[in-house]
Amino acid sequence: APGGIAGTGVTALQEGAPMLVQVVAHRAMGADTAAPPPPPETFGAYTTKGQESSGVLAMVDLLIADLDKEMQEMEVEETDAQKDYQKYVADSADKRAIDGSSIEEKESAKADAEAGLEKATMDNKSKMVESYNTAMVLKDLHLECDWLVSNFEIRKEARAGEIDSLKKGKAILSGADFA
């Protein structure tokens, strides 16, 4: 239809810039109007297609198979990782046990060494005191010896003079006359 949309009864009138649409077929529908015609025929009843859809289904099956394969690979990797982790944890526990016993042995050796050091220190102190006491005795003996040596001649003369006086005293008591 010139100036309109075919079969709809809509005509377009153009007056300047705005476009106006006039609906010619718009009338009050009464009882005398006939029912609209049936819709056009579309697709028939649903039927499966043989070869046409098999390519898409094969691709979906391939995707499912790939996903299953990836899931199995991930499960195997996870199982291997779990085994590795458990081995690592067991190795770590063994190492901690070995390190713990090594620490105990070293602490025991350290305690023994400290006890030996304490004993050696005490022995050293007692030996130092004993050595000091011995040195003091030697010093005293040396001083006494020096005094005896330095006064020996004087004491010898004094003793000889005393012996002589005792002999003279004895002789006088015996009746000797020294005058």
Side-chain angles (χ1 to χ4, degrees):
I5 300 173
T8 61
V10 178
T11 58
L13 299 175
Q14 193 167 14
E15 295 177 13
M19 179 178 206
L20 299 175
V21 178
Q22 178 182 11
V23 178
V24 175
H26 186 64
R27 296 182 226 142
M29 294 200 130
D32 57 344
T33 60
E41 191 172 316
T42 61
F43 300 107
Y46 179 75
T47 59
T48 60
K49 295 183 179 179
Q51 291 294 333
E52 294 174 8
S53 65
S54 67
V56 174
L57 292 176
M59 286 176 53
V60 169
D61 288 341
L62 281 174
L63 286 174
I64 290 172
D66 286 345
L67 285 175
D68 287 341
K69 184 178 176 183
E70 287 178 13
M71 287 174 57
Q72 285 177 349
E73 287 175 359
M74 289 178 7
E75 287 175 0
V76 167
E77 288 175 3
E78 184 178 351
T79 303
D80 290 344
Q82 183 67 27
K83 287 178 184 176
D84 290 344
Y85 175 74
Q86 288 174 347
K87 183 178 183 292
Y88 172 75
V89 168
D91 290 346
S92 295
D94 291 344
K95 184 167 180 1
R96 274 193 307 274
I98 290 169
D99 290 346
S101 65
S102 174
I103 288 172
E104 289 175 4
E105 289 173 5
K106 289 178 181 178
E107 286 177 347
S108 173
K110 180 183 173 189
D112 292 343
E114 286 177 348
L117 176 65
E118 185 68 26
K119 183 177 185 260
T121 303
M122 295 303 286
D123 289 346
N124 187 27
K125 283 183 181 179
S126 68
K127 294 287 183 184
M128 292 294 283
V129 167
E130 185 179 332
S131 176
Y132 177 77
N133 291 337
T134 303
M136 293 306 291
V137 167
L138 285 176
K139 182 188 93 157
D140 292 343
L141 287 174
H142 194 288
L143 288 174
E144 193 175 318
C145 222
D146 286 344
W147 184 83
L148 286 175
V149 167
S150 66
N151 293 322
F152 179 72
E153 289 298 321
I154 297 170
R155 291 186 70 197
K156 183 178 170 185
E157 289 174 11
R159 208 177 4 249
E162 195 174 320
I163 290 173
D164 189 38
S165 297
L166 285 174
K167 285 183 183 178
K168 285 182 185 178
K170 186 177 174 186
I172 292 175
L173 288 174
S174 301
D177 186 17
F178 288 107

Short mmCIF file of all heavy atoms in Angstrom, two decimals, residues 118-168:
data_model
loop_
_atom_site.label_atom_id
_atom_site.label_comp_id
_atom_site.label_asym_id
_atom_site.label_seq_id
_atom_site.Cartn_x
_atom_site.Cartn_y
_atom_site.Cartn_z
N GLU A 118 83.58 -27.01 87.14
CA GLU A 118 83.36 -26.60 88.53
C GLU A 118 84.33 -27.35 89.47
O GLU A 118 84.94 -26.75 90.35
CB GLU A 118 81.91 -26.87 88.93
CG GLU A 118 81.54 -26.38 90.30
CD GLU A 118 81.53 -24.87 90.41
OE1 GLU A 118 81.33 -24.19 89.39
OE2 GLU A 118 81.75 -24.37 91.53
N LYS A 119 84.47 -28.65 89.23
CA LYS A 119 85.39 -29.45 90.06
C LYS A 119 86.83 -28.98 89.86
O LYS A 119 87.58 -28.82 90.83
CB LYS A 119 85.27 -30.93 89.70
CG LYS A 119 86.14 -31.83 90.55
CD LYS A 119 85.90 -33.29 90.20
CE LYS A 119 86.68 -34.16 91.15
NZ LYS A 119 87.92 -34.67 90.65
N ALA A 120 87.20 -28.73 88.61
CA ALA A 120 88.56 -28.27 88.33
C ALA A 120 88.79 -26.90 88.97
O ALA A 120 89.88 -26.63 89.49
CB ALA A 120 88.80 -28.20 86.83
N THR A 121 87.77 -26.04 88.93
CA THR A 121 87.89 -24.72 89.55
C THR A 121 88.09 -24.85 91.05
O THR A 121 88.95 -24.17 91.63
CB THR A 121 86.64 -23.87 89.24
OG1 THR A 121 86.47 -23.78 87.82
CG2 THR A 121 86.75 -22.49 89.81
N MET A 122 87.29 -25.72 91.68
CA MET A 122 87.43 -25.93 93.12
C MET A 122 88.80 -26.53 93.45
O MET A 122 89.46 -26.11 94.42
CB MET A 122 86.31 -26.84 93.65
CG MET A 122 84.92 -26.23 93.53
SD MET A 122 84.78 -24.64 94.37
CE MET A 122 84.76 -25.19 96.04
N ASP A 123 89.24 -27.52 92.65
CA ASP A 123 90.56 -28.10 92.86
C ASP A 123 91.65 -27.05 92.70
O ASP A 123 92.60 -27.00 93.48
CB ASP A 123 90.81 -29.26 91.88
CG ASP A 123 89.98 -30.48 92.20
OD1 ASP A 123 89.42 -30.54 93.31
OD2 ASP A 123 89.90 -31.39 91.33
N ASN A 124 91.48 -26.20 91.70
CA ASN A 124 92.46 -25.14 91.45
C ASN A 124 92.51 -24.18 92.64
O ASN A 124 93.60 -23.79 93.07
CB ASN A 124 92.11 -24.40 90.17
CG ASN A 124 93.17 -23.40 89.77
OD1 ASN A 124 94.33 -23.56 90.11
ND2 ASN A 124 92.77 -22.36 89.06
N LYS A 125 91.34 -23.81 93.16
CA LYS A 125 91.31 -22.90 94.31
C LYS A 125 92.00 -23.55 95.52
O LYS A 125 92.79 -22.90 96.21
CB LYS A 125 89.87 -22.53 94.67
CG LYS A 125 89.27 -21.50 93.75
CD LYS A 125 87.88 -21.13 94.19
CE LYS A 125 87.26 -20.12 93.25
NZ LYS A 125 85.91 -19.75 93.63
N SER A 126 91.68 -24.83 95.78
CA SER A 126 92.30 -25.49 96.93
C SER A 126 93.81 -25.61 96.73
O SER A 126 94.59 -25.42 97.68
CB SER A 126 91.67 -26.85 97.18
OG SER A 126 91.98 -27.75 96.13
N LYS A 127 94.25 -25.90 95.51
CA LYS A 127 95.69 -25.99 95.23
C LYS A 127 96.34 -24.63 95.38
O LYS A 127 97.47 -24.53 95.89
CB LYS A 127 95.94 -26.51 93.80
CG LYS A 127 95.50 -27.92 93.57
CD LYS A 127 96.41 -28.91 94.25
CE LYS A 127 95.96 -30.30 93.90
NZ LYS A 127 96.73 -31.31 94.59
N MET A 128 95.63 -23.57 94.97
CA MET A 128 96.18 -22.22 95.12
C MET A 128 96.33 -21.86 96.60
O MET A 128 97.35 -21.29 97.00
CB MET A 128 95.30 -21.19 94.41
CG MET A 128 95.30 -21.31 92.90
SD MET A 128 96.88 -20.94 92.19
CE MET A 128 96.87 -19.17 92.29
N VAL A 129 95.32 -22.21 97.41
CA VAL A 129 95.40 -21.93 98.86
C VAL A 129 96.54 -22.73 99.47
O VAL A 129 97.34 -22.20 100.27
CB VAL A 129 94.04 -22.25 99.54
CG1 VAL A 129 94.18 -22.27 101.04
CG2 VAL A 129 92.98 -21.26 99.09
N GLU A 130 96.64 -24.00 99.10
CA GLU A 130 97.72 -24.85 99.62
C GLU A 130 99.08 -24.30 99.19
O GLU A 130 100.02 -24.24 99.99
CB GLU A 130 97.53 -26.28 99.10
CG GLU A 130 98.51 -27.28 99.64
CD GLU A 130 98.26 -28.68 99.10
OE1 GLU A 130 97.10 -28.98 98.75
OE2 GLU A 130 99.23 -29.44 99.02
N SER A 131 99.18 -23.89 97.94
CA SER A 131 100.43 -23.33 97.43
C SER A 131 100.78 -22.03 98.16
O SER A 131 101.95 -21.79 98.51
CB SER A 131 100.30 -23.07 95.93
OG SER A 131 101.45 -22.45 95.44
N TYR A 132 99.76 -21.20 98.41
CA TYR A 132 99.99 -19.95 99.15
C TYR A 132 100.48 -20.25 100.57
O TYR A 132 101.44 -19.62 101.04
CB TYR A 132 98.70 -19.13 99.18
CG TYR A 132 98.81 -17.87 99.99
CD1 TYR A 132 99.47 -16.75 99.49
CD2 TYR A 132 98.28 -17.80 101.28
CE1 TYR A 132 99.59 -15.60 100.23
CE2 TYR A 132 98.40 -16.65 102.04
CZ TYR A 132 99.05 -15.55 101.51
OH TYR A 132 99.17 -14.41 102.26
N ASN A 133 99.82 -21.21 101.23
CA ASN A 133 100.24 -21.57 102.59
C ASN A 133 101.67 -22.10 102.60
O ASN A 133 102.47 -21.77 103.48
CB ASN A 133 99.28 -22.57 103.20
CG ASN A 133 97.93 -21.97 103.50
OD1 ASN A 133 97.81 -20.75 103.64
ND2 ASN A 133 96.90 -22.80 103.58
N THR A 134 102.01 -22.93 101.63
CA THR A 134 103.37 -23.47 101.53
C THR A 134 104.37 -22.34 101.30
O THR A 134 105.44 -22.30 101.91
CB THR A 134 103.46 -24.50 100.39
OG1 THR A 134 102.51 -25.53 100.63
CG2 THR A 134 104.85 -25.11 100.29
N ALA A 135 104.01 -21.40 100.44
CA ALA A 135 104.88 -20.27 100.16
C ALA A 135 105.08 -19.42 101.41
O ALA A 135 106.19 -18.92 101.68
CB ALA A 135 104.31 -19.42 99.02
N MET A 136 104.01 -19.24 102.20
CA MET A 136 104.12 -18.46 103.43
C MET A 136 105.05 -19.16 104.43
O MET A 136 105.87 -18.53 105.10
CB MET A 136 102.74 -18.22 104.06
CG MET A 136 101.84 -17.33 103.22
SD MET A 136 102.58 -15.75 102.79
CE MET A 136 102.64 -14.94 104.35
N VAL A 137 104.93 -20.50 104.54
CA VAL A 137 105.82 -21.26 105.44
C VAL A 137 107.26 -21.13 104.97
O VAL A 137 108.18 -20.90 105.78
CB VAL A 137 105.36 -22.75 105.51
CG1 VAL A 137 106.43 -23.61 106.17
CG2 VAL A 137 104.04 -22.86 106.24
N LEU A 138 107.47 -21.27 103.67
CA LEU A 138 108.82 -21.12 103.13
C LEU A 138 109.37 -19.72 103.38
O LEU A 138 110.56 -19.56 103.72
CB LEU A 138 108.83 -21.42 101.62
CG LEU A 138 108.73 -22.89 101.23
CD1 LEU A 138 108.64 -23.02 99.70
CD2 LEU A 138 109.93 -23.68 101.75
N LYS A 139 108.53 -18.71 103.23
CA LYS A 139 108.97 -17.34 103.48
C LYS A 139 109.39 -17.17 104.94
O LYS A 139 110.44 -16.59 105.24
CB LYS A 139 107.86 -16.36 103.12
CG LYS A 139 108.26 -14.89 103.31
CD LYS A 139 107.07 -13.98 103.13
CE LYS A 139 106.53 -13.79 104.51
NZ LYS A 139 105.77 -12.75 104.92
N ASP A 140 108.52 -17.69 105.84
CA ASP A 140 108.85 -17.59 107.26
C ASP A 140 110.16 -18.33 107.58
O ASP A 140 111.01 -17.82 108.31
CB ASP A 140 107.70 -18.14 108.12
CG ASP A 140 106.46 -17.27 108.06
OD1 ASP A 140 106.57 -16.10 107.64
OD2 ASP A 140 105.37 -17.77 108.44
N LEU A 141 110.30 -19.54 107.03
CA LEU A 141 111.54 -20.30 107.24
C LEU A 141 112.74 -19.55 106.67
O LEU A 141 113.82 -19.53 107.27
CB LEU A 141 111.44 -21.69 106.62
CG LEU A 141 110.53 -22.69 107.34
CD1 LEU A 141 110.42 -23.98 106.51
CD2 LEU A 141 111.07 -23.00 108.73
N HIS A 142 112.58 -18.95 105.51
CA HIS A 142 113.66 -18.22 104.87
C HIS A 142 114.07 -17.03 105.72
O HIS A 142 115.28 -16.76 105.91
CB HIS A 142 113.24 -17.78 103.46
CG HIS A 142 114.36 -17.32 102.61
ND1 HIS A 142 115.02 -16.12 102.81
CD2 HIS A 142 114.97 -17.89 101.54
CE1 HIS A 142 115.94 -15.98 101.90
NE2 HIS A 142 115.96 -17.06 101.11
N LEU A 143 113.07 -16.30 106.23
CA LEU A 143 113.38 -15.14 107.10
C LEU A 143 114.11 -15.59 108.37
O LEU A 143 115.08 -14.97 108.81
CB LEU A 143 112.10 -14.38 107.45
CG LEU A 143 111.47 -13.57 106.30
CD1 LEU A 143 110.13 -12.98 106.76
CD2 LEU A 143 112.39 -12.46 105.85
N GLU A 144 113.61 -16.68 108.93
CA GLU A 144 114.25 -17.21 110.15
C GLU A 144 115.67 -17.66 109.85
O GLU A 144 116.61 -17.40 110.63
CB GLU A 144 113.41 -18.37 110.69
CG GLU A 144 113.78 -18.78 112.09
CD GLU A 144 112.84 -19.87 112.63
OE1 GLU A 144 111.62 -19.76 112.41
OE2 GLU A 144 113.37 -20.81 113.24
N CYS A 145 115.84 -18.29 108.72
CA CYS A 145 117.16 -18.77 108.32
C CYS A 145 118.10 -17.57 108.08
O CYS A 145 119.27 -17.61 108.49
CB CYS A 145 117.03 -19.59 107.04
SG CYS A 145 118.04 -21.06 107.06
N ASP A 146 117.59 -16.56 107.42
CA ASP A 146 118.40 -15.36 107.18
C ASP A 146 118.81 -14.72 108.51
O ASP A 146 119.96 -14.29 108.68
CB ASP A 146 117.63 -14.33 106.32
CG ASP A 146 117.53 -14.75 104.86
OD1 ASP A 146 118.28 -15.66 104.45
OD2 ASP A 146 116.69 -14.17 104.14
N TRP A 147 117.90 -14.69 109.46
CA TRP A 147 118.22 -14.09 110.76
C TRP A 147 119.28 -14.93 111.46
O TRP A 147 120.23 -14.38 112.03
CB TRP A 147 116.94 -14.02 111.61
CG TRP A 147 117.17 -13.35 112.91
CD1 TRP A 147 117.19 -12.04 113.19
CD2 TRP A 147 117.45 -14.02 114.16
NE1 TRP A 147 117.45 -11.81 114.49
CE2 TRP A 147 117.62 -13.03 115.12
CE3 TRP A 147 117.58 -15.36 114.55
CZ2 TRP A 147 117.91 -13.30 116.45
CZ3 TRP A 147 117.86 -15.62 115.87
CH2 TRP A 147 118.02 -14.60 116.80
N LEU A 148 119.12 -16.26 111.39
CA LEU A 148 120.12 -17.14 112.01
C LEU A 148 121.48 -16.98 111.35
O LEU A 148 122.51 -16.93 112.03
CB LEU A 148 119.67 -18.60 111.95
CG LEU A 148 118.54 -19.02 112.89
CD1 LEU A 148 118.14 -20.47 112.60
CD2 LEU A 148 118.99 -18.87 114.34
N VAL A 149 121.50 -16.89 110.02
CA VAL A 149 122.77 -16.76 109.32
C VAL A 149 123.40 -15.41 109.64
O VAL A 149 124.61 -15.32 109.88
CB VAL A 149 122.57 -16.93 107.79
CG1 VAL A 149 123.80 -16.50 107.01
CG2 VAL A 149 122.24 -18.36 107.47
N SER A 150 122.61 -14.36 109.65
CA SER A 150 123.18 -13.03 109.91
C SER A 150 123.64 -12.88 111.36
O SER A 150 124.58 -12.15 111.66
CB SER A 150 122.19 -11.93 109.55
OG SER A 150 121.07 -11.98 110.41
N ASN A 151 123.00 -13.57 112.30
CA ASN A 151 123.35 -13.45 113.72
C ASN A 151 124.19 -14.62 114.21
O ASN A 151 124.44 -14.74 115.42
CB ASN A 151 122.09 -13.32 114.57
CG ASN A 151 121.37 -12.01 114.30
OD1 ASN A 151 122.01 -10.98 114.10
ND2 ASN A 151 120.06 -12.05 114.30
N PHE A 152 124.63 -15.49 113.31
CA PHE A 152 125.36 -16.69 113.72
C PHE A 152 126.67 -16.33 114.44
O PHE A 152 126.97 -16.86 115.51
CB PHE A 152 125.62 -17.60 112.51
CG PHE A 152 126.38 -18.82 112.85
CD1 PHE A 152 125.79 -19.86 113.56
CD2 PHE A 152 127.74 -18.95 112.52
CE1 PHE A 152 126.50 -20.99 113.89
CE2 PHE A 152 128.44 -20.09 112.86
CZ PHE A 152 127.83 -21.11 113.54
N GLU A 153 127.46 -15.47 113.86
CA GLU A 153 128.75 -15.12 114.45
C GLU A 153 128.58 -14.46 115.81
O GLU A 153 129.29 -14.76 116.75
CB GLU A 153 129.54 -14.20 113.51
CG GLU A 153 130.05 -14.87 112.27
CD GLU A 153 131.03 -16.00 112.57
OE1 GLU A 153 131.86 -15.88 113.50
OE2 GLU A 153 130.94 -17.04 111.87
N ILE A 154 127.60 -13.57 115.91
CA ILE A 154 127.36 -12.88 117.18
C ILE A 154 126.94 -13.89 118.23
O ILE A 154 127.43 -13.88 119.37
CB ILE A 154 126.30 -11.79 117.01
CG1 ILE A 154 126.78 -10.72 116.03
CG2 ILE A 154 125.93 -11.15 118.33
CD1 ILE A 154 125.71 -9.73 115.63
N ARG A 155 126.04 -14.76 117.87
CA ARG A 155 125.55 -15.77 118.81
C ARG A 155 126.65 -16.76 119.16
O ARG A 155 126.72 -17.25 120.30
CB ARG A 155 124.33 -16.47 118.22
CG ARG A 155 123.14 -15.52 118.15
CD ARG A 155 121.90 -16.20 117.72
NE ARG A 155 121.46 -17.08 118.80
CZ ARG A 155 120.58 -18.05 118.64
NH1 ARG A 155 120.07 -18.30 117.47
NH2 ARG A 155 120.25 -18.80 119.65
N LYS A 156 127.52 -17.05 118.19
CA LYS A 156 128.63 -17.99 118.43
C LYS A 156 129.57 -17.40 119.49
O LYS A 156 130.00 -18.09 120.43
CB LYS A 156 129.37 -18.26 117.13
CG LYS A 156 130.48 -19.27 117.25
CD LYS A 156 131.10 -19.48 115.86
CE LYS A 156 132.36 -20.28 115.95
NZ LYS A 156 133.03 -20.41 114.67
N GLU A 157 129.87 -16.12 119.33
CA GLU A 157 130.75 -15.46 120.29
C GLU A 157 130.08 -15.37 121.66
O GLU A 157 130.73 -15.58 122.70
CB GLU A 157 131.12 -14.05 119.81
CG GLU A 157 132.06 -14.04 118.62
CD GLU A 157 132.28 -12.64 118.09
OE1 GLU A 157 131.90 -11.65 118.75
OE2 GLU A 157 132.81 -12.54 116.98
N ALA A 158 128.76 -15.07 121.63
CA ALA A 158 128.03 -14.97 122.90
C ALA A 158 127.99 -16.32 123.58
O ALA A 158 128.16 -16.43 124.81
CB ALA A 158 126.63 -14.44 122.66
N ARG A 159 127.82 -17.37 122.86
CA ARG A 159 127.78 -18.71 123.42
C ARG A 159 129.17 -19.10 123.94
O ARG A 159 129.30 -19.68 125.03
CB ARG A 159 127.29 -19.70 122.35
CG ARG A 159 126.61 -20.89 122.94
CD ARG A 159 126.04 -21.85 121.91
NE ARG A 159 126.29 -21.58 120.51
CZ ARG A 159 125.37 -21.21 119.63
NH1 ARG A 159 124.12 -21.11 119.98
NH2 ARG A 159 125.69 -20.97 118.39
N ALA A 160 130.17 -18.80 123.18
CA ALA A 160 131.54 -19.12 123.64
C ALA A 160 131.86 -18.35 124.92
O ALA A 160 132.44 -18.89 125.87
CB ALA A 160 132.56 -18.79 122.54
N GLY A 161 131.44 -17.08 124.97
CA GLY A 161 131.65 -16.28 126.18
C GLY A 161 130.85 -16.84 127.35
O GLY A 161 131.33 -16.87 128.50
N GLU A 162 129.67 -17.31 127.10
CA GLU A 162 128.82 -17.89 128.15
C GLU A 162 129.43 -19.19 128.64
O GLU A 162 129.44 -19.47 129.85
CB GLU A 162 127.41 -18.10 127.58
CG GLU A 162 126.35 -18.34 128.63
CD GLU A 162 124.97 -18.39 128.03
OE1 GLU A 162 124.66 -17.60 127.11
OE2 GLU A 162 124.20 -19.25 128.46
N ILE A 163 129.91 -20.03 127.71
CA ILE A 163 130.55 -21.29 128.09
C ILE A 163 131.78 -20.99 128.95
O ILE A 163 132.01 -21.64 129.99
CB ILE A 163 130.92 -22.14 126.85
CG1 ILE A 163 129.67 -22.67 126.17
CG2 ILE A 163 131.85 -23.28 127.20
CD1 ILE A 163 129.91 -23.36 124.85
N ASP A 164 132.53 -20.00 128.55
CA ASP A 164 133.72 -19.63 129.31
C ASP A 164 133.34 -19.13 130.71
O ASP A 164 133.97 -19.48 131.70
CB ASP A 164 134.49 -18.55 128.54
CG ASP A 164 135.84 -18.27 129.14
OD1 ASP A 164 136.49 -19.23 129.59
OD2 ASP A 164 136.22 -17.09 129.14
N SER A 165 132.29 -18.34 130.78
CA SER A 165 131.83 -17.85 132.09
C SER A 165 131.35 -18.99 132.96
O SER A 165 131.58 -18.99 134.17
CB SER A 165 130.69 -16.84 131.93
OG SER A 165 131.13 -15.71 131.23
N LEU A 166 130.66 -19.94 132.38
CA LEU A 166 130.17 -21.08 133.16
C LEU A 166 131.36 -21.91 133.69
O LEU A 166 131.33 -22.39 134.83
CB LEU A 166 129.23 -21.96 132.32
CG LEU A 166 127.83 -21.41 132.07
CD1 LEU A 166 127.07 -22.30 131.10
CD2 LEU A 166 127.06 -21.31 133.37
N LYS A 167 132.39 -22.08 132.87
CA LYS A 167 133.56 -22.84 133.31
C LYS A 167 134.27 -22.10 134.46
O LYS A 167 134.70 -22.72 135.41
CB LYS A 167 134.54 -23.06 132.15
CG LYS A 167 134.08 -24.11 131.17
CD LYS A 167 135.13 -24.31 130.09
CE LYS A 167 134.65 -25.29 129.07
NZ LYS A 167 135.59 -25.49 127.99
N LYS A 168 134.38 -20.81 134.31
CA LYS A 168 135.02 -20.03 135.37
C LYS A 168 134.19 -20.08 136.64
O LYS A 168 134.74 -20.20 137.74
CB LYS A 168 135.20 -18.56 134.95
CG LYS A 168 136.31 -18.37 133.97
CD LYS A 168 136.45 -16.89 133.65
CE LYS A 168 137.46 -16.67 132.57
NZ LYS A 168 137.59 -15.29 132.21
#
